[in-house]
């Protein structure tokens, strides 16, 4: 707070605005000098499609099914994920497959348009058969493209999402 | 020959400064406001009703989507409310981590408030500086739980997982530079004559009116009351924390600004204490496979960044979901004060008042 | 050699083309500069690429390679490797902006007063651009046409359009017509937000014309002239080298510069006085209902008047066509006029370069201030105008008169 003694001077001469101008000017100069692809940088933007973004290991992306080393579906149709899902985006149909003791999911449908990426399904799974992968470029042009299925759907539950135009690319 | 009439003007629902889909019907005499009616409901999704049809476990994801800039606080309110309903004791380590993340979330919420409020008043740059720090905290959330905004951070009974390796380093790095960042915002705003003119004496709401309207949070504390649930009814591990409740007496926009800045500094202090005193141990309590409630009701309130956030649960016998659930949303209740604040003032003060109330329409409409 | 009437007309026409071309190029560049300067201040990069997906980025469909190095965006990307000059990334953006504004649908609201609605942007634009007729970019002849030049050989090409002996009055008079464009456009929109913006603008102009003119009276009193070139030259050079009067003049010009620039900010509707279009309160203020080219006329006129204000400030307070501001040039000349170094001797002479550099710097200040300060409220703006700036300028005026008397 301005002391009353100097308050007239402070009213007549805008030191306060000068302080702000100094700060913004400092940042302008810094960014002007560092707005290149050097190591030290003040600006915070990522030039996204060209420069890769970094994700944290626990990032929650698209739901993906996992196969074990034999190429066999790990899911045993315990229905835990279907039950826990707050938005009911998972539909599983239980069935049998020759040469497999545990139940086999005939259908495992995932409607991504309603998915809220809460990871409850992965948490509920006792068999580590699903994960949320690190894909976040999930936009598509058609609503149908959001439906995932094990086979026959528009997108495969096992495959990574096809990379779209704006893909994470590496600079070199 | 000439007649004068009041002009009715709709501020919103599509307007740059109503922070979402708030519609304020204003009656203007020149630029002076004679009547002000906030109209809400454009974002109503029926969260409370949905939660009554979901299990206690599932309901948490909807709390992310009420006050979406303070989702961790909402998660905490939900989780602690349900824990209270079932009498679950959460491990101490989980409490500490919860406290830390909630305080980080308080900083993000206040930073977003600071940025948008300053932007509304015309200072554009603070917005980007505030978001720079906010991004850093969101990365911390991403490291902890995998999502930046709709975190679903906690679980009933504790946490899903312990802190990931390296998170402490991230938080420490943030802590190291955050106080300097607050000083930067202050350089741009606190002493600035235009900022002071725009905020001092604007949108006054004295403590009596605030209490009568049920207004809580920084708006109440800027009026001189020191009601802070973290001190009054400690939850999580706030009882073990050493911090002060920021208060001001001027009850205007400038006072609220100072209160929120001070709250960020106190949050910084609390986070440091959480990191230093982080106890070892499990992060999840032993829970039954399925939570089935008795006939019971609880109200659990926490100090969300915007004020008192209360969750009210009514359990029925054997029910897996709440029979009735109600959210006492601070934004919704604080918004009532808007017309009291702005009648008789100028149009530009409405923008300042909406900003200073720090409403999030997701929470107002639920 | 005196030109014949036709030669005179041809040269005038050429001069008009050059000056208008300069302003018309500077204005879109200014919008680009605004993006970049405010971006850099806000620790981001501003516009960095143009027409993404048309030339550069689309080739980078295979995400592992750097195939986007071709094309326009590739060039932009390459520019980003260098510090400082990387500010020119996204420079073609202003062409894209202009194209967008030209091709946008031109909407006239049904309830609008159509004739006024169409005329007011033109009024604002014409007023803002006519001002340049009286601004002297260089005090004398910019260059002489070489003798072999057909028809015009040996004739001077002046750095100003007219050497009007009431230039300052002309500038002030015409510039203040521009506000009618804003007020009428706002009224003609027949919409609520523009109405508020127009009212604010009218009140603002009434309050700020006074201190603006009063602060310009200081150079008028000191030089005793209204001619732009004479005033700017005499403000820069016609000062006693030492003595109290010289110091007093320097101080007065220093303070006067800030006061005039402050009024200029208000006059041009720039932050912190951009109440007429306060986007956070009035959506877009007076031009809410305007689109396409009509909107861009308002836009252009705002930026053109920024250039005007910068030109006046640099001419009358920052030493105009001379190197040093605030009347320090005579002292400099005293030491370096007869310097053996050709460069130092050159710094003692007037040049259009200094003038343009000062204009560019002031334009940068406009953007810099916009990035820093909040916006005044309507009534506070009046307070600042009437209770702060007018007394300030009146005191300055009296001091200027005393200095004139003493000299």
């Amino acid at each position: 707070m301005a002391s009353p003694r100097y308050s007239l001077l402070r009213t007549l001469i805008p030191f306060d605005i000068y302080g702000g101008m100094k700060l913004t000017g400092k940042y302008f100069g810094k960014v002007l000098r560092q707005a290149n692809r050097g190591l030290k940088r003040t600006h915070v933007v990522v030039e996204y499609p060209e420069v890769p973004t970094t994700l944290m290991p626990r990032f929650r992306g698209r739901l993906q099914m996992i196969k074990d080393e034999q190429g066999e579906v790990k899911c045993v149709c315990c229905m835990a994920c279907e039950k826990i899902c707050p938005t009911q985006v998972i539909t599983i149909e239980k069935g049998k497959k020759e040469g497999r003791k545990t139940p086999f999911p005939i259908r495992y449908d995932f409607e991504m348009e309603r998915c809220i990426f809460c990871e409850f399904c992965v948490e509920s799974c006792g068999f580590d058969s699903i994960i949320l992968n690190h894909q976040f470029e999930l936009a598509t042009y058609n609503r149908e493209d959001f439906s995932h299925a094990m086979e026959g759907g528009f997108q495969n539950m096992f495959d990574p999402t096809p990379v779209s135009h704006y893909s994470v690319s590496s600079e070199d | 020959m000439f007649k004068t009439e009041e002009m009715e003007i709709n501020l919103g629902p599509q307007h740059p400064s109503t922070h979402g889909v708030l519609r304020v019907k204003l009656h203007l005499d020149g630029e002076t406001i004679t009547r002000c009616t906030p109209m809400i409901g454009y974002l109503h999704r029926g969260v409370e009703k949905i939660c009554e049809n979901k299990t206690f476990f599932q309901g948490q994801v909807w709390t992310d989507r009420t006050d979406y800039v303070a989702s961790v606080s909402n998660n905490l309110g939900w989780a602690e409310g349900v824990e209270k309903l079932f009498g679950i004791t959460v491990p101490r380590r989980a409490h500490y981590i919860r406290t830390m993340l909630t305080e980080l979330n308080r900083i993000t919420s206040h930073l977003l408030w600071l940025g948008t409020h300053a932007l509304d008043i015309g200072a554009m740059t603070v917005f980007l500086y505030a978001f720079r720090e906010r991004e850093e905290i969101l990365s911390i959330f991403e490291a902890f739980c995998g999502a930046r905004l709709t975190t679903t951070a906690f679980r009933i009974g504790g946490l899903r997982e312990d802190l990931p390796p390296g998170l402490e380093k991230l938080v420490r790095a943030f802590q190291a530079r955050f106080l300097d960042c607050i000083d930067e915002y202050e350089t741009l705003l606190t002493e600035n004559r235009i900022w002071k003119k725009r905020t001092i004496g604007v949108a006054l709401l004295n403590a009596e009116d605030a209490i009568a309207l049920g207004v809580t949070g920084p708006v109440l504390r800027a009026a001189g009351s020191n009601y802070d649930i973290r001190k009054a009814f400690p939850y999580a591990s706030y009882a073990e924390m050493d911090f002060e409740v920021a208060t001001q007496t001027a009850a205007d926009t400038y006072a609220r600004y100072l209160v929120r800045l001070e709250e960020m500094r106190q949050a910084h202090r609390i986070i440091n204490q959480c990191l230093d005193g982080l106890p070892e141990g499990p992060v999840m309590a032993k829970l039954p496979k399925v939570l089935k409630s008795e006939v019971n009701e609880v109200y659990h309130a926490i100090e969300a960044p915007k004020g008192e956030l209360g969750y009210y649960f009514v359990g029925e016998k054997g029910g897996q979901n709440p029979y009735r659930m109600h959210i006492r949303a601070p934004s919704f209740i604080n918004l009532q004060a808007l017309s009291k604040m702005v009648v008789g003032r100028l149009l530009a003060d409405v923008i300042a008042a909406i900003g200073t109330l720090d409403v999030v329409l997701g929470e107002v409409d639920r | 050699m005196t030109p014949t009437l036709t030669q005179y007309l041809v040269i005038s026409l050429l001069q008009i083309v050059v000056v208008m071309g300069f302003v018309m190029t500077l204005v879109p560049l200014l919008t680009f500069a605004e993006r970049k300067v405010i971006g850099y201040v806000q620790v981001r990069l501003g516009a960095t690429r143009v027409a993404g997906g048309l030339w550069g980025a689309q080739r980078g469909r295979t995400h592992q390679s750097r195939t986007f190095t071709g094309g326009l965006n590739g060039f932009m990307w390459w520019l980003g490797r260098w510090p400082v000059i990387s500010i020119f990334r996204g420079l073609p953006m202003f062409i894209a902006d202009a194209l967008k504004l030209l091709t946008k649908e031109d909407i006239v609201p049904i309830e609008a007063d159509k004739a006024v609605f169409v005329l007011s942007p033109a009024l604002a634009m014409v007023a803002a651009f006519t001002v340049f007729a009286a601004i002297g970019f260089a005090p004398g002849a910019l260059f002489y046409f070489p003798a072999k030049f057909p028809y015009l050989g040996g004739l001077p090409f002046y750095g100003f359009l007219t050497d009007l002996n009431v230039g300052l009055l002309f500038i002030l008079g015409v510039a203040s017509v521009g506000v009618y464009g804003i007020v009428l456009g706002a009224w003609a929109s027949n919409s609520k937000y523009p109405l508020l913006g127009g009212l604010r603008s009218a009140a603002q102009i009434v309050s700020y014309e006074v201190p603006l003119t009063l602060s310009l009276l200081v150079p008028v009193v000191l030089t005793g002239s209204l001619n732009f070139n004479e005033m700017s030259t005499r403000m820069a050079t016609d000062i006693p080298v030492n003595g109290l009067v010289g110091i007093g003049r320097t101080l007065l010009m220093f303070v006067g510069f800030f006061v005039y620039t402050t009024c200029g900010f208000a006059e041009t509707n720039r932050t912190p006085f951009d109440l007429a279009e306060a986007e956070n309160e009035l959506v877009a203020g007076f031009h809410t209902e305007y689109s396409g080219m009509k909107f861009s006329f308002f836009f252009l006129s705002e930026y053109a008047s920024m250039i005007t204000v910068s030109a006046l400030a640099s001419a009358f307070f920052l030493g105009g066509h001379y190197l040093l501001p605030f009347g320090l040039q005579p002292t400099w000349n005293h030491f370096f006029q007869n310097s053996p170094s050709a460069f130092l001797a050159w710094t003692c002479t007037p040049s259009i370069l200094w003038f343009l550099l000062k204009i560019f710097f002031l334009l940068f200040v406009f953007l810099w201030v916009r990035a820093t300060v909040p916006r005044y409220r309507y009534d506070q703006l009046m307070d600042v105008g009437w209770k702060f700036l007018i007394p300030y300028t009146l005191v300055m005026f009296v001091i200027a008169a005393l200095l004139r008397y003493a000299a």
Side-chain angles (χ1 to χ4, degrees):
Chain A
M1 289 285 137
S3 67
R5 197 173 150 199
Y6 297 113
S7 61
L8 180 70
L9 197 64
R10 278 169 190 275
T11 313
L12 290 180
I13 306 172
F15 293 113
D16 46 318
I17 295 193
Y18 168 74
M21 297 277 284
K22 211 169 96 181
L23 181 77
T24 47
K26 186 190 90 185
Y27 271 113
F28 178 78
K30 268 191 176 178
V31 178
L32 186 66
R33 269 183 280 120
Q34 295 168 4
N36 60 336
R37 282 181 279 284
L39 286 175
K40 198 180 150 215
R41 40 189 277 170
T42 308
H43 61 279
V44 287
V45 285
V46 180
E47 291 177 61
Y48 161 58
E50 289 94 358
V51 178
T53 53
T54 49
L55 295 177
M56 296 295 176
R58 287 184 183 176
F59 183 79
R60 309 201 298 241
R62 200 208 86 194
L63 182 66
Q64 189 184 337
M65 289 181 84
I66 305 272
K67 288 180 179 171
D68 62 9
E69 294 84 42
Q70 284 81 44
E72 192 62 40
V73 179
K74 271 180 154 184
C75 176
V76 295
C77 303
C78 67
M79 305 290 185
C81 51
E82 192 186 313
K83 231 175 275 169
I84 196 78
C85 181
T87 48
Q88 292 106 42
V89 295
I90 301 171
T91 318
I92 308 174
E93 201 176 309
K94 214 171 184 172
K96 281 212 184 313
K97 192 185 173 189
E98 301 236 340
R100 182 178 158 131
K101 284 179 206 144
T102 50
F104 176 78
I106 302 171
R107 256 178 69 210
Y108 193 106
D109 293 350
F110 166 53
E111 298 290 331
M112 201 181 65
E113 80 236 46
R114 290 205 312 274
C115 180
I116 56 174
F117 308 101
C118 61
E119 215 173 14
F120 281 180
C121 47
V122 179
E123 201 177 335
S124 71
C125 185
F127 303 89
D128 295 335
S129 66
I130 44 176
I131 54 159
L132 290 191
N133 63 21
H134 278 197
Q135 282 161 11
F136 59 92
E137 293 157 323
L138 302 170
T140 60
Y141 286 103
N142 299 310
R143 195 184 178 124
E144 298 81 50
D145 293 350
F146 284 119
S147 53
H148 294 59
M150 276 173 58
E151 53 214 24
F154 283 86
Q155 289 188 41
N156 196 310
M157 279 301 290
F158 300 102
D159 290 347
T161 313
V163 274
S164 51
H165 169 66
Y166 284 112
S167 54
V168 180
S169 56
S170 57
E171 195 178 345
D172 42 19
Chain B
M1 193 169 110
F2 299 109
K3 70 181 167 72
T4 55
E5 57 183 72
E6 282 186 1
M7 186 159 80
E8 191 182 293
I9 196 163
N10 269 310
L11 201 75
Q14 290 105 11
H15 187 279
S17 305
T18 50
H19 297 202
V21 285
L22 174 64
R23 173 176 161 219
V24 186
K25 207 160 102 184
L26 296 170
H27 286 251
L28 294 180
D29 174 18
E31 276 217 25
T32 315
I33 285 135
T34 54
R35 217 163 81 212
C36 160
T37 328
M39 306 206 157
I40 57 169
Y42 289 90
L43 203 56
H44 179 68
R45 294 149 294 175
V47 168
E48 291 174 7
K49 205 70 201 165
I50 294 173
C51 287
E52 285 164 19
N53 291 299
K54 300 287 170 191
T55 63
F56 288 106
F57 191 77
Q58 289 173 336
Q60 195 192 16
V61 298
W62 267 273
T63 64
D64 286 333
R65 287 157 178 82
T66 55
D67 179 359
Y68 37 77
V69 298
S71 48
V72 178
S73 292
N74 296 356
N75 296 159
L76 181 74
W78 175 275
E80 292 208 326
V82 176
E83 281 151 14
K84 213 177 192 178
L85 185 70
F86 290 102
I88 300 163
T89 317
V90 175
R92 198 155 161 261
R93 183 178 171 85
H95 265 326
Y96 263 71
I97 295 172
R98 281 178 173 189
T99 309
M100 184 180 86
L101 289 170
T102 314
E103 286 306 311
L104 279 170
N105 194 217
R106 189 181 311 279
I107 293 177
T108 60
S109 175
H110 282 351
L111 282 178
L112 185 120
W113 161 81
L114 177 69
T116 50
H117 185 40
L119 189 70
D120 289 347
I121 292 186
M124 292 191 290
T125 303
V126 185
F127 179 73
L128 272 291
Y129 291 171
F131 264 55
R132 179 183 56 186
E133 275 73 63
R134 185 168 179 266
E135 280 297 300
E136 212 165 311
I137 304 180
L138 293 188
S139 296
I140 293 169
F141 290 158
E142 189 188 327
F144 175 71
C145 61
R148 298 166 72 84
L149 202 66
T150 50
T151 47
T152 321
F154 309 132
R155 296 291 182 269
I156 294 155
L159 307 171
R160 183 187 163 200
E161 285 172 291
D162 205 339
L163 294 180
L167 187 120
E168 193 180 330
K169 220 177 104 197
L170 275 180
V171 181
R172 293 253 187 229
F174 169 75
Q175 292 285 90
R177 52 181 286 266
F178 183 59
L179 288 182
D180 291 340
C181 296
I182 298 185
D183 289 344
E184 277 183 2
Y185 317 142
E186 290 222 68
T187 314
L188 285 171
L189 298 178
T190 306
E191 281 298 314
N192 189 304
R193 58 180 63 201
I194 307 177
W195 177 260
K196 275 169 123 176
K197 275 203 163 176
R198 282 301 301 276
T199 51
I200 290 178
V202 168
L204 288 164
L205 185 76
N206 60 27
E208 246 170 68
D209 288 340
I211 291 166
L213 287 165
V215 170
T216 46
V219 184
L220 176 64
R221 286 194 285 277
S225 164
N226 66 345
Y227 176 65
D228 186 324
I229 300 171
R230 291 177 293 175
K231 281 271 190 222
F233 309 102
Y235 55 94
S237 52
Y238 284 108
E240 299 164 37
M241 298 294 157
D242 172 32
F243 68 100
E244 281 150 26
V245 178
T247 53
Q248 289 279 331
T249 48
D252 58 6
T253 307
Y254 191 66
R256 285 169 213 135
Y257 158 77
L258 293 177
V259 163
R260 287 191 174 107
L261 280 186
E262 183 56 29
E263 275 188 12
M264 284 201 261
R265 292 209 171 89
Q266 296 299 333
H268 180 270
R269 251 176 91 186
I270 297 174
I271 295 162
N272 267 345
Q273 290 170 39
C274 287
L275 278 178
D276 294 339
L278 196 61
E280 293 299 317
V283 292
M284 192 71 187
K286 289 268 178 294
L287 287 187
K289 190 94 179 157
V290 179
L291 289 172
K292 288 212 166 96
S293 63
E294 295 296 313
V295 178
N296 198 357
E297 59 179 329
V298 297
Y299 174 76
H300 183 74
I302 64 160
E303 184 69 30
K306 293 170 181 64
E308 176 177 345
L309 172 71
Y311 282 93
Y312 173 65
F313 295 98
V314 179
E316 58 180 336
K317 186 150 179 68
Q320 289 187 34
N321 37 351
Y323 176 74
R324 173 79 178 96
M325 198 280 282
H326 175 67
I327 305 172
R328 186 217 184 270
S331 296
F332 173 66
I333 289 165
N334 289 2
L335 187 62
Q336 295 178 95
L338 181 66
S339 57
K340 190 144 203 117
M341 283 175 172
V342 299
V343 167
R345 320 255 344 172
L346 295 177
L347 179 62
D349 292 340
V350 180
I351 306 300
I354 294 172
T356 192
L357 282 173
D358 192 12
V359 290
V360 164
L361 270 293
E363 193 178 45
V364 173
D365 295 339
R366 298 196 290 285
Chain C
M1 180 173 152
T2 32
T4 62
L5 185 63
T6 38
Q7 278 176 328
Y8 177 76
L9 283 178
V10 168
I11 290 183
S12 295
L13 212 60
L14 278 177
Q15 281 176 334
I16 290 172
V17 168
V18 168
V19 170
M20 283 297 118
F22 170 72
V23 177
M24 285 294 227
T25 328
L26 197 56
V27 166
L29 283 176
L30 203 52
T31 62
F32 170 72
E34 181 149 27
R35 287 159 184 256
K36 288 304 256 195
V37 169
I38 293 181
Y40 277 27
V41 163
Q42 295 174 344
V43 293
R44 56 193 176 85
L45 290 179
T48 51
R49 58 197 87 193
V50 199
L54 282 184
W55 291 301
Q58 200 169 35
R59 294 206 214 152
R61 194 175 272 276
T62 50
H63 63 280
Q64 290 300 328
S65 62
R66 279 181 61 189
T67 39
F68 47 73
T69 42
L72 191 53
N73 275 343
F75 178 62
M76 296 289 136
W77 179 250
W78 176 83
L79 266 185
R81 286 168 57 189
W82 316 103
V84 185
I85 64 157
S86 71
I87 198 168
F88 292 112
R89 291 176 78 188
L91 184 63
M93 197 71 192
F94 80 89
I95 303 171
D97 273 347
L99 281 178
K100 182 201 80 173
L101 286 171
L102 277 169
T103 51
K104 249 181 142 175
E105 188 188 351
D106 196 18
I107 301 165
V108 180
I110 292 175
E111 291 290 316
D113 187 338
K114 294 202 179 48
V116 183
F117 188 82
V118 174
L119 277 178
S120 46
L123 187 60
M125 174 100 161
V126 166
F129 278 80
T130 314
V131 170
F132 289 97
I135 287 177
F137 286 93
L142 202 57
F143 61 87
Y144 287 86
F145 286 105
K148 283 178 189 160
F149 199 86
Y151 194 58
L152 299 173
L155 289 173
F157 187 87
Y158 291 108
F160 48 82
L161 290 183
T162 53
D163 198 12
L164 211 58
N165 57 0
V166 287
L168 189 63
L169 279 186
F170 178 80
I171 291 171
L172 289 175
V174 173
S176 57
V177 171
V179 73
Y180 287 104
I182 292 176
V183 175
L184 290 177
W187 176 257
S189 299
N190 204 356
S191 172
K192 288 170 181 175
Y193 284 116
L195 178 67
L196 287 172
L199 284 177
R200 284 180 174 194
S201 189
Q204 183 175 341
I205 289 303
V206 168
S207 326
Y208 278 84
E209 281 284 313
V210 183
L212 184 93
T213 316
L214 278 175
S215 63
L216 282 179
L217 274 183
V218 171
V220 169
V221 167
L222 288 178
T223 58
S225 165
L226 283 171
N227 181 313
F228 186 94
N229 289 326
E230 193 185 337
M231 276 173 79
S232 76
T233 313
R234 289 186 62 182
M235 278 308 275
T237 55
D238 189 17
I239 294 167
V241 173
N242 42 26
L244 269 179
V245 176
I247 294 170
R249 262 182 91 149
T250 301
L251 281 177
L252 189 62
M253 280 167 81
F254 184 75
V255 176
F257 166 70
F258 287 101
V259 174
Y260 173 72
T261 324
T262 312
C263 300
F265 274 92
E267 186 73 10
T268 50
N269 283 330
R270 295 290 300 183
T271 322
F273 307 104
D274 60 341
L275 303 185
E277 51 177 289
E279 79 225 25
N280 299 309
E281 294 150 25
L282 303 183
V283 189
F286 63 90
H287 56 62
T288 307
E289 302 288 347
Y290 280 90
S291 65
M293 217 43 214
K294 290 206 198 76
F295 160 73
S296 65
F297 271 26
F298 280 126
F299 200 64
L300 288 174
S301 68
E302 181 185 324
Y303 282 83
S305 39
M306 269 165 71
I307 301 174
T308 315
V309 168
S310 309
L312 291 192
S314 43
F316 299 147
F317 299 103
L318 293 186
H321 312 97
Y322 290 86
L323 172 65
L324 289 184
F326 311 128
L328 298 170
Q329 186 68 32
T331 320
W332 179 269
N333 284 5
H334 183 71
F335 290 112
F336 297 111
Q337 205 151 31
N338 303 315
S339 159
S341 157
F343 175 73
L344 281 178
W346 177 64
T347 56
C348 297
T349 57
S351 162
I352 190 172
L353 181 71
W354 307 130
F355 192 57
L356 291 184
L357 281 180
K358 281 166 193 165
I359 290 185
F360 291 152
F361 174 72
L362 282 178
L363 290 176
F364 172 71
V365 171
F366 266 98
L367 308 180
W368 186 8
V369 167
R370 177 164 181 219
T372 308
V373 296
R375 178 185 305 116
Y376 273 115
R377 203 172 63 200
Y378 176 53
D379 56 330
Q380 291 161 355
L381 178 93
M382 301 292 129
D383 279 3
V384 174
W386 291 101
K387 296 182 187 164
F388 185 80
L389 287 174
I390 289 182
Y392 225 121
T393 44
L394 278 174
V395 170
M396 272 167 46
F397 177 60
V398 171
I399 292 173
L402 287 175
L403 284 176
R404 169 85 179 165
Y405 179 72

